[in-house]
Amino acid sequence: MEVMSHSSSFLLPAGETSAKRYALIVLNQNIPCFTPLLWEHAKLRLCADGGANRIYDELPLFFPREDALLIRNRYKPDVIKGDMDSIRPDVLRFYLSLGTKVIDESHDQDTTDLDKCILFIRDSPLNQESSKLQILATGALGGRFDHEAGNLNVLYRYPDTRITLLSDDCLIQLLPKTHRHEIHIQPSLLGPHCGLIPIGAPSAKTTTTGLQWDLTDTEMRFGGLVSTSNLVKGEKITVESDSDLLWTISIKKQDPNKTLRSG
Ligand SMILES: Nc1ncnc2c1ncn2[C@@H]1O[C@H](COP(=O)(O)OP(=O)(O)OP(=O)(O)O)[C@@H](O)[C@H]1O
Ligand SMILES: Cc1ncc(C[n+]2csc(CCO)c2C)c(N)n1
């Protein structure tokens, strides 16, 4: 079985840049403190509908000594896409005046704004067959549970696309059953709390290494065992399962001076 390797080098402080190519989607929830860092190295920057309000309102708060308008001009999204029922008219006008591409899909009330943004990225010419873009989505967790469930659902809708859901506190990725997984942890950025969750379907057999409570051909299902409040022991975890699993790991509080870009 082929090995799929996972690392979270996109969270490394400025200077230790990651070679990984990714697109960033800002959702309509509090912006994590490492958003400026992710923004800087992203190949494409999208706001899902009301996510644009978050960039407009909250990014300047990370730079209290700088002029808010300068910050808003510096952090210009490439695209705002969604059903446009949450973006404020003043915010829409502002980014239109900067030249942001706005895609109004208010006719589609069956897919979420996150779905709509993922399809834009998958179809982008920057997403090449030889070098696919990973997708990072900020503000995906915490808040309304129906939104969180919709956000988790996109991991299952696009299992061939590497999508990471992020909040200030943790990240979530899908580990498809088609691969053996090697997860590389930077202990300064991530852990120690983690979980392996069989949310889409039960797993008859999951085997792991590198965890405090490893699984050995262990069954996991809702109503039975799911691995929560587990701990990573070292810098490499391996996971093999007969079912798609969600992997989640805590994000350590970062030194804001390292995650913010200076003026
Ligand atoms: N409270 C939340 N928790 C998690 N994700 C959220 C939350 N609010 C919004 N999102 C994400 O941000 C995207 C854009 O949010 P927005 O508020 O514009 O969506 P919406 O479709 O207008 O929501 P609503 O259901 O309130 O009409 C959503 O598709 C969802 O992925
Ligand atoms: C069975 C079913 N449940 C809910 C919705 C509503 N809905 C789902 S995604 C979306 C767009 C949000 O921006 C809306 C309104 C639906 N269409 N079908």
Side-chain angles (χ1 to χ4, degrees):
M1 188 182 279
E2 227 182 301
V3 173
M4 188 183 281
S5 183
H6 306 260
S7 89
S8 303
S9 47
F10 48 79
L11 284 173
L12 279 171
E16 303 165 50
T17 52
S18 110
K20 290 269 159 59
R21 298 174 76 248
Y22 63 82
L24 177 66
I25 305 176
V26 176
L27 302 177
N28 190 12
Q29 270 249 81
N30 292 347
I31 292 180
C33 63
F34 47 78
T35 306
L37 171 70
L38 300 184
W39 188 279
E40 196 157 338
H41 299 290
K43 301 287 177 228
L44 260 179
R45 298 153 182 132
L46 290 86
C47 291
D49 189 5
N53 302 340
R54 301 302 182 140
I55 289 292
Y56 186 92
D57 294 337
E58 295 175 22
L59 263 177
L61 305 178
F62 291 141
F63 303 90
R65 289 203 298 269
E66 295 192 51
D67 180 62
L69 185 60
L70 275 179
I71 298 296
R72 288 180 186 129
N73 281 310
R74 188 190 298 160
Y75 292 91
K76 175 184 94 67
D78 299 305
V79 176
I80 300 172
K81 188 174 176 190
D83 66 357
M84 300 301 166
D85 62 351
S86 300
I87 187 170
R88 297 197 311 269
D90 61 313
V91 174
L92 180 58
R93 269 197 307 276
F94 179 81
Y95 288 119
L96 276 172
S97 79
L98 291 188
T100 293
K101 184 183 177 85
V102 173
I103 307 172
D104 181 339
E105 291 206 341
S106 44
H107 59 276
D108 174 0
Q109 291 296 313
D110 291 333
T111 64
T112 69
D113 298 324
L114 174 56
D115 265 293
K116 293 175 171 87
C117 288
I118 287 171
L119 289 183
F120 180 91
I121 295 164
R122 283 167 48 115
D123 293 343
S124 157
L126 289 171
N127 191 36
Q128 299 146 4
E129 197 49 53
S130 56
S131 172
K132 296 252 175 179
L133 287 172
Q134 286 196 41
I135 298 178
L136 309 180
T138 66
L141 311 160
R144 261 173 55 189
F145 183 68
D146 62 328
H147 272 309
E148 288 182 288
N151 296 339
L152 293 175
N153 189 39
V154 301
L155 303 181
Y156 287 84
R157 278 167 73 88
Y158 311 104
D160 302 332
T161 303
R162 299 268 203 126
I163 303 172
T164 304
L165 302 180
L166 289 155
S167 72
D168 251 321
D169 299 313
C170 70
L171 65 78
I172 300 186
Q173 293 164 330
L174 184 76
L175 304 182
K177 64 181 175 190
T178 47
H179 290 72
R180 213 172 70 80
H181 298 275
E182 283 187 8
I183 304 167
H184 301 272
I185 312 285
Q186 256 110 13
S188 59
L189 302 175
L190 295 178
H193 302 282
C194 66
L196 269 176
I197 305 171
I199 206 168
S203 154
K205 281 184 176 187
T206 296
T207 299
T208 66
T209 64
L211 301 177
Q212 175 84 40
W213 288 276
D214 269 322
L215 308 170
T216 309
D217 288 338
T218 308
E219 181 186 1
M220 288 198 290
R221 62 186 170 84
F222 274 89
L225 173 78
V226 301
S227 177
T228 59
S229 298
N230 212 327
L231 296 169
V232 295
K233 277 202 312 196
E235 300 196 10
K236 184 177 148 191
I237 317 295
T238 66
V239 180
E240 195 170 341
S241 181
D242 63 344
S243 212
D244 297 342
L245 297 176
L246 291 185
W247 163 252
T248 180
I249 185 163
S250 52
I251 297 178
K252 289 188 172 150
K253 290 282 162 257
Q254 321 237 328
D255 176 352
N257 296 320
K258 287 191 174 171
T259 54
L260 292 185
R261 178 187 145 160
S262 58

